[in-house]
Amino acid sequence: MMVLFLAVGGDHGSDSVPIVLLGLAFVLLGAKLGGELFERLGQPSVLGELGTGVLLANLAPLLGLDLSPLTNSETFTVLAELGAILLLFHVGLESTPGQMMAVGGRAAAVATVGVIVPMILGYLVGVVLRPQESWMLHLFLGAMLAATSVGITARVLSDAGALGRPFARVILGAAVIDDVLGLLVLAVISGIITGASSGAALGAGGIVWIVFKAFTFLVGALVVGSFMSPRLFRGALALRSKDVVQTLALSFCFLLSWLALQAGLAPIVGAFAAGLVLEDVHFEENVQRGNRSLHDSLAPLIALLVPVFFVRLGLLVDVRSFATPGVLVFAMSLTAAAIAGKLVCALVVPRALSPLTVALGMLPRGEVGLIFAGIGAALMLDGHPVIDPGAYAAAVFMVVVTTLATPPLLLWSMRRDARASA
Amino acid sequence: MMVLFLAVGGDHGSDSVPIVLLGLAFVLLGAKLGGELFERLGQPSVLGELGTGVLLANLAPLLGLDLSPLTNSETFTVLAELGAILLLFHVGLESTPGQMMAVGGRAAAVATVGVIVPMILGYLVGVVLRPQESWMLHLFLGAMLAATSVGITARVLSDAGALGRPFARVILGAAVIDDVLGLLVLAVISGIITGASSGAALGAGGIVWIVFKAFTFLVGALVVGSFMSPRLFRGALALRSKDVVQTLALSFCFLLSWLALQAGLAPIVGAFAAGLVLEDVHFEENVQRGNRSLHDSLAPLIALLVPVFFVRLGLLVDVRSFATPGVLVFAMSLTAAAIAGKLVCALVVPRALSPLTVALGMLPRGEVGLIFAGIGAALMLDGHPVIDPGAYAAAVFMVVVTTLATPPLLLWSMRRDARASA
């Protein structure tokens, strides 16, 4: 009879339906309560959502609960990713390509400084604390500190209603360029290490191809998208169905996220580009016809899926990995390098654009830092992983500190800017 | 380098992120265009969504495209299931437990007739067309015709704005009871067959346990839920966060869907129960405070996920399985039994409650029919599957015809009722 029960239960859909349902129920509830608590303390609610995840992940083993079916669930991972995609789509909708171009040079300067300086500092941490190891490993440590994860910052800016401010545009533009640069750095260094291991060097052609794909996507999305989207949506308004604009906009967002992945970029870069080229002004006619605005359509989707993303980010944190004493010094040095490296960005931002706020906005490494560390753990050099378990724990520490520290620091800095300009 | 690219692309989340993004983009677009076409033809838009799925599944091989990564994707399956869950939650919100109890006796009569008569007719089809086979196999054919899949009907009623009408409540109540009866029939017959194969008979205790779990869930959800939900939501209004009511309502919906699965029922039964016990009246204060109403919060989620459910249902249809001549006679006989068996329900519905409309509402077998057939294909009797490939193809034909025929027939019948009462 047990087999039958499993078959009846499981076949009402996929075997992972029960764990996803239970996970969603508790993640949504926990995220809301954690967010509420932190809001009452004057802190950003996203910190409460991250904290809920950290708390769940680290209390569950003490209570004898096993959360791995949830954290390892493919569907839960994809739902979290969809949350990040919708968040960045929403963020992109608040700006236009023209507004982004206007801050383009400044954003490029911030991104370049914010990739190069952390790389140098991370390399130096490796040279000083792990002198016996190869320069290639030191270089990989540096690369791990390069890429910003823009989700946290985007959420804080969005909650504070600051997405339309020029400094926010510099941060968002820099984050997109940062993603391209981080991809290049990772590809080049991994190529060098793989080449050193296998004897086959990374050709210049390989690097050019990576750059070509990323830029083709970005330019293509902005130019073709800006040209196509007004025409497409004007056509859509000829349709009678409910929610045509919402459906078309989401399709467009998912398509560009997929194209970004094909170009080797993060899907959220595609979602952001999709948001940029869609202008709310195209949708005025839609609202005049009694439909929900795109903004109102997105809000409930964001309220459902974005907490899944942030709670899941917290769930990945195992605080026990910081307990080893030797690891802690290495971890704190790496974290200091990660923070100092991005704070230097403030030097290339003029005073009117809130330099400290911009630099703080670039701090979080989030899931991107974990991805880099994971790739390093899988790369072998002379029979050893490039990122050994100690270095991996240090990377996780760096990610956790930069990610958790950003929301309160960013909020503090924005309030300080507001007082200064008042 | 290929490994690196895969790692970078894949590690931006799960490996199934790209296929889900591309699938969502095209499924949403296709569903909207298919729905629009059928609406213009005066047909229900859900038929267009099903048709989009059937068309995609059967044209793709001709074009050399392989859709199996999408149809086999765990995440895509769960997203479809979440669509069905949110649809039935929305449907449940439109009624109260009291309103459902008022039609309870009538709904029970419809469900009982609608389970017993198709079973007898399906058994007879087996006796006449497959006389050489065991009576247990004939019984399983009958069981396969018993259970209604309420998603299609709920969608048509919802689109027509008819959810609040008494005949709609009879259909929805009967569908819930039908799910419980179907579960029992399947468990008992599978138990008999497994017992005949292994020599261990299904005990009365096993059957009592199945009934006990299902009823405990239903009574518990309605009684405890009705008592708890006003108190819970009054407490929630003390929180400051945005979207508290939406979050709490969705958590409740997912929790009850999970509990239904634990009780051996379909998750949509839990979602429907959750909708029943939540009353919009609790939420008036929420709206007065400037928040989105629960109805407005659900609409965009439904617009995103419900088409995924119906397109996926269409994707599962392989029209080539009907091409075998021997199968076609068997399939058409089984389909006739399935339709006639449910139309008999009209006899126990008084004229004021639109008997034909109620009976037509019980027709679709949808994914439930496919689940039953799949369980039969996995059950062995004397070394052969109870449902062989020919019988499985016939079951798919029955499911397709009852599912595709329902939306236009139901719309026609409702319009006829409206004219008669005008």
Side-chain angles (χ1 to χ4, degrees):
Chain A
M1 286 309 294
M2 275 316 290
V3 174
L4 171 66
F5 278 138
L6 288 175
V8 174
D11 269 305
H12 273 301
S14 157
D15 282 349
S16 62
V17 167
I19 187 68
V20 171
L21 288 173
L22 195 61
L24 280 178
F26 282 97
V27 162
L28 288 178
L29 205 64
K32 192 48 80 184
L33 293 177
E36 172 82 15
L37 179 70
F38 275 76
E39 258 182 65
R40 293 201 172 205
L41 297 172
Q43 296 297 318
S45 57
V46 64
L47 199 56
E49 297 176 9
L50 288 166
T52 299
V54 175
L55 217 65
L56 274 177
N58 293 282
L59 283 186
L62 302 179
L63 300 171
L65 292 171
D66 180 16
L67 292 182
S68 63
L70 184 65
T71 44
N72 295 339
S73 155
E74 177 194 307
T75 303
F76 197 66
T77 311
V78 177
L79 287 176
E81 191 73 19
L82 287 177
I85 285 170
L86 290 174
L87 175 62
L88 267 290
F89 179 54
H90 159 76
V91 166
L93 280 173
E94 306 277 321
S95 298
T96 66
Q99 288 166 333
M100 292 303 297
M101 296 299 174
V103 298
R106 196 61 66 186
V110 169
T112 309
V113 170
V115 165
I116 292 174
V117 181
M119 276 195 68
I120 296 173
L121 295 179
Y123 177 84
L124 292 178
V125 168
V127 169
V128 172
L129 292 180
R130 299 201 157 189
Q132 73 285 7
E133 281 166 356
S134 157
W135 63 272
M136 288 185 268
L137 187 136
H138 302 154
L139 205 58
F140 198 93
L141 285 178
M144 226 165 52
L145 307 188
T148 295
S149 166
V150 76
I152 292 274
T153 301
R155 167 75 182 268
V156 175
L157 295 174
S158 170
D159 282 357
L163 285 171
R165 306 277 303 278
F167 76 83
R169 294 213 175 94
V170 173
I171 295 177
L172 296 169
V176 168
I177 301 169
D178 190 304
D179 195 76
V180 178
L181 294 178
L183 172 79
L184 285 178
V185 165
L186 183 68
V188 171
I189 294 179
S190 304
I192 292 172
I193 294 175
T194 313
S197 276
S198 68
L202 173 71
I207 297 175
V208 169
W209 177 230
I210 296 167
V211 180
F212 175 77
K213 280 201 303 178
F215 276 92
T216 304
F217 169 77
L218 285 175
V219 174
L222 296 180
V223 174
V224 179
S226 298
F227 179 80
M228 292 283 294
S229 82
R231 285 158 184 79
L232 209 62
F233 282 87
R234 208 156 297 283
L237 287 172
L239 300 183
R240 294 180 201 170
S241 314
K242 276 189 307 180
D243 307 310
V244 168
V245 164
Q246 180 198 344
T247 302
L248 209 56
L250 285 178
S251 280
F252 186 67
C253 163
F254 295 144
L255 189 65
L256 255 64
S257 304
W258 176 79
L259 278 172
L261 265 175
Q262 302 311 304
L265 295 167
I268 55 172
V269 171
F272 180 70
L276 275 188
V277 299
L278 292 189
E279 299 310 330
D280 258 335
V281 69
H282 304 157
F283 305 130
E284 265 170 26
E285 197 185 331
N286 182 45
V287 176
Q288 282 162 8
R289 281 169 48 179
N291 288 315
R292 252 180 301 276
S293 75
L294 189 55
H295 185 267
D296 281 352
S297 292
L298 278 180
L301 297 175
I302 286 176
L304 172 65
L305 293 173
V306 171
V308 177
F309 176 71
F310 289 113
V311 172
R312 188 169 184 283
L313 214 52
L315 279 175
L316 299 178
V317 175
D318 183 351
V319 291
R320 285 171 306 180
S321 58
F322 314 141
T324 332
V327 167
L328 209 56
V329 173
F330 188 55
M332 290 174 72
S333 312
L334 211 59
T335 306
I339 294 174
K342 292 287 183 186
L343 286 182
V344 172
C345 295
L347 299 179
V348 295
V349 180
R351 202 182 180 112
L353 282 173
S354 318
L356 185 59
T357 306
V358 169
L360 288 171
M362 304 301 289
L363 276 193
R365 301 312 200 279
E367 78 292 357
V368 182
L370 295 178
I371 290 165
F372 275 40
I375 292 174
L379 269 179
M380 302 302 273
L381 182 64
D382 302 329
H384 302 288
V386 170
I387 296 297
D388 62 34
Y392 189 83
V396 172
F397 185 85
M398 178 277 290
V399 165
V400 170
V401 172
T402 56
T403 304
L404 294 185
T406 298
L409 287 175
L410 199 55
L411 205 59
W412 161 79
S413 183
M414 284 195 292
R415 285 178 184 152
R416 188 167 152 272
D417 293 341
R419 275 197 305 274
S421 68
Chain B
M1 287 307 294
M2 275 315 290
V3 174
L4 171 64
F5 279 139
L6 288 175
V8 174
D11 269 304
H12 273 300
S14 158
D15 281 350
S16 62
V17 167
I19 187 68
V20 170
L21 287 173
L22 195 61
L24 280 178
F26 281 96
V27 162
L28 289 178
L29 205 64
K32 192 48 81 185
L33 293 178
E36 172 82 14
L37 179 70
F38 275 75
E39 260 182 62
R40 294 203 172 205
L41 297 171
Q43 295 297 318
S45 57
V46 63
L47 199 57
E49 298 175 9
L50 288 166
T52 298
V54 176
L55 217 64
L56 275 177
N58 293 282
L59 283 185
L62 303 180
L63 300 171
L65 292 171
D66 180 15
L67 292 181
S68 63
L70 184 65
T71 43
N72 295 339
S73 156
E74 176 192 307
T75 303
F76 197 66
T77 310
V78 177
L79 286 176
E81 191 72 18
L82 286 177
I85 285 170
L86 290 174
L87 175 62
L88 268 288
F89 180 53
H90 159 76
V91 166
L93 280 172
E94 306 276 322
S95 297
T96 66
Q99 289 166 333
M100 291 304 298
M101 296 298 173
V103 298
R106 195 61 66 185
V110 168
T112 310
V113 170
V115 165
I116 293 175
V117 180
M119 276 195 68
I120 296 173
L121 295 179
Y123 178 85
L124 291 178
V125 168
V127 170
V128 173
L129 292 181
R130 299 198 157 192
Q132 74 285 6
E133 281 164 358
S134 156
W135 63 274
M136 289 186 269
L137 188 137
H138 301 153
L139 205 59
F140 198 93
L141 283 179
M144 226 165 53
L145 306 189
T148 295
S149 166
V150 76
I152 291 273
T153 300
R155 167 73 182 268
V156 175
L157 294 174
S158 171
D159 282 358
L163 285 171
R165 306 277 302 279
F167 74 85
R169 295 211 176 95
V170 173
I171 295 177
L172 296 169
V176 168
I177 302 169
D178 190 305
D179 195 75
V180 177
L181 293 178
L183 172 79
L184 285 178
V185 166
L186 182 67
V188 171
I189 294 179
S190 305
I192 292 172
I193 294 175
T194 312
S197 277
S198 69
L202 173 72
I207 296 175
V208 169
W209 176 231
I210 296 168
V211 180
F212 175 77
K213 281 202 304 179
F215 276 93
T216 304
F217 169 77
L218 285 175
V219 174
L222 295 181
V223 174
V224 179
S226 298
F227 179 79
M228 293 282 294
S229 82
R231 285 157 183 81
L232 209 64
F233 281 88
R234 208 156 298 283
L237 287 173
L239 300 182
R240 294 181 202 168
S241 314
K242 276 189 306 180
D243 306 310
V244 167
V245 164
Q246 180 198 344
T247 303
L248 209 56
L250 285 178
S251 279
F252 186 67
C253 163
F254 295 144
L255 189 65
L256 256 63
S257 304
W258 177 79
L259 278 173
L261 264 175
Q262 302 311 304
L265 295 167
I268 55 171
V269 171
F272 180 70
L276 274 188
V277 300
L278 292 189
E279 298 310 329
D280 258 335
V281 68
H282 305 155
F283 305 130
E284 266 171 25
E285 198 185 331
N286 182 47
V287 175
Q288 282 161 9
R289 282 170 48 180
N291 288 314
R292 251 181 302 276
S293 74
L294 189 56
H295 184 268
D296 281 353
S297 293
L298 278 180
L301 296 175
I302 287 177
L304 172 65
L305 292 172
V306 171
V308 176
F309 176 71
F310 288 114
V311 172
R312 188 170 182 284
L313 213 53
L315 278 174
L316 299 177
V317 175
D318 183 350
V319 291
R320 284 171 304 179
S321 58
F322 314 141
T324 331
V327 167
L328 209 56
V329 172
F330 189 54
M332 290 174 75
S333 310
L334 212 58
T335 306
I339 294 174
K342 292 287 184 187
L343 286 183
V344 171
C345 296
L347 299 179
V348 295
V349 180
R351 203 182 178 113
L353 283 172
S354 318
L356 184 59
T357 306
V358 170
L360 289 171
M362 304 302 290
L363 276 193
R365 302 311 199 277
E367 77 293 357
V368 182
L370 296 177
I371 290 165
F372 274 41
I375 292 174
L379 270 179
M380 302 301 272
L381 183 64
D382 304 328
H384 301 287
V386 169
I387 297 297
D388 62 33
Y392 189 83
V396 172
F397 184 86
M398 178 278 291
V399 165
V400 170
V401 171
T402 55
T403 304
L404 294 184
T406 298
L409 287 175
L410 199 54
L411 204 61
W412 162 80
S413 183
M414 285 196 292
R415 285 180 183 149
R416 188 167 152 272
D417 292 342
R419 274 198 305 276
S421 68

